Amino acid sequence: MDIDLRIYHARISFLPADATYKPKNSSYAIKRNTSGSRAATGFTYLPALDEPVPDDWCILEDEFILFLITKLPLIGPDFLSAPDATFNDGNMHLIFIKKGVSKVNMTKLLLNTATDDYYQLPFLEHVKMKAFRLE
């Protein structure tokens, strides 16, 4: 029996908590928005859905096999999803993996979720962010 990893085509736009954010993997084509938009809504960071994201947001459109967005350090007793997350810090944590990762490497990730060792895997990207839009 052959199990294939599901691939999702998506565009993720996000406001990094650190304005100097650069992806760990330089091949990721994360770009800054250049639309000149400054959407005003009742929310501090979140533009209206019919408006483009503001200039200080990053945009990545690609094919992915994993997205995880959390506000908590643990999402289960043996899954440390965001080791530096604290309650009420105003941040969310995005973890994503683009397509092209082998099943062996995904197994390595899943076997190391009890500690933050999996954060060092070169195919996994982690972003501390203030807001996001997933399309």
Side-chain angles (χ1 to χ4, degrees):
M1 178 158 124
D2 185 30
I3 301 173
D4 291 328
L5 296 173
R6 282 204 176 151
I7 297 172
Y8 302 93
H9 184 85
R11 175 179 27 226
I12 180 83
S13 305
F14 57 91
L15 174 61
D18 178 7
T20 62
Y21 165 74
K22 298 240 184 296
K24 177 171 48 174
N25 186 332
S26 61
S27 72
Y28 287 2
I30 296 176
K31 60 183 181 177
R32 295 284 176 168
N33 183 32
T34 57
S35 70
S37 168
R38 279 281 165 210
T41 65
F43 298 102
T44 304
Y45 301 113
L46 197 59
L49 290 175
D50 59 348
E51 297 288 330
V53 295
D55 287 342
D56 50 354
W57 284 46
C58 296
I59 302 168
L60 175 62
E61 186 167 353
D62 215 316
E63 293 183 321
F64 303 90
I65 58 170
L66 180 129
F67 268 97
L68 174 65
I69 299 171
T70 184
K71 289 185 62 76
L72 303 173
L74 291 166
I75 60 172
D78 57 353
F79 197 133
L80 184 60
S81 61
D84 59 342
T86 59
F87 294 104
N88 277 338
D89 65 1
N91 295 314
M92 293 176 278
H93 297 265
L94 165 65
I95 297 171
F96 65 87
I97 299 174
K98 289 178 35 174
K99 78 170 190 175
V101 175
S102 71
K103 293 174 194 169
V104 170
N105 282 334
M106 285 301 295
T107 303
K108 287 179 188 176
L109 178 143
L110 294 172
L111 291 174
N112 288 304
T113 58
T115 67
D116 63 355
D117 292 344
Y118 73 97
Y119 265 65
Q120 307 310 316
L121 296 170
F123 55 86
L124 180 131
E125 187 70 28
H126 168 258
V127 181
K128 189 186 293 190
M129 61 184 182
K130 296 285 185 189
F132 74 95
R133 180 186 292 174
L134 180 60
E135 301 172 78

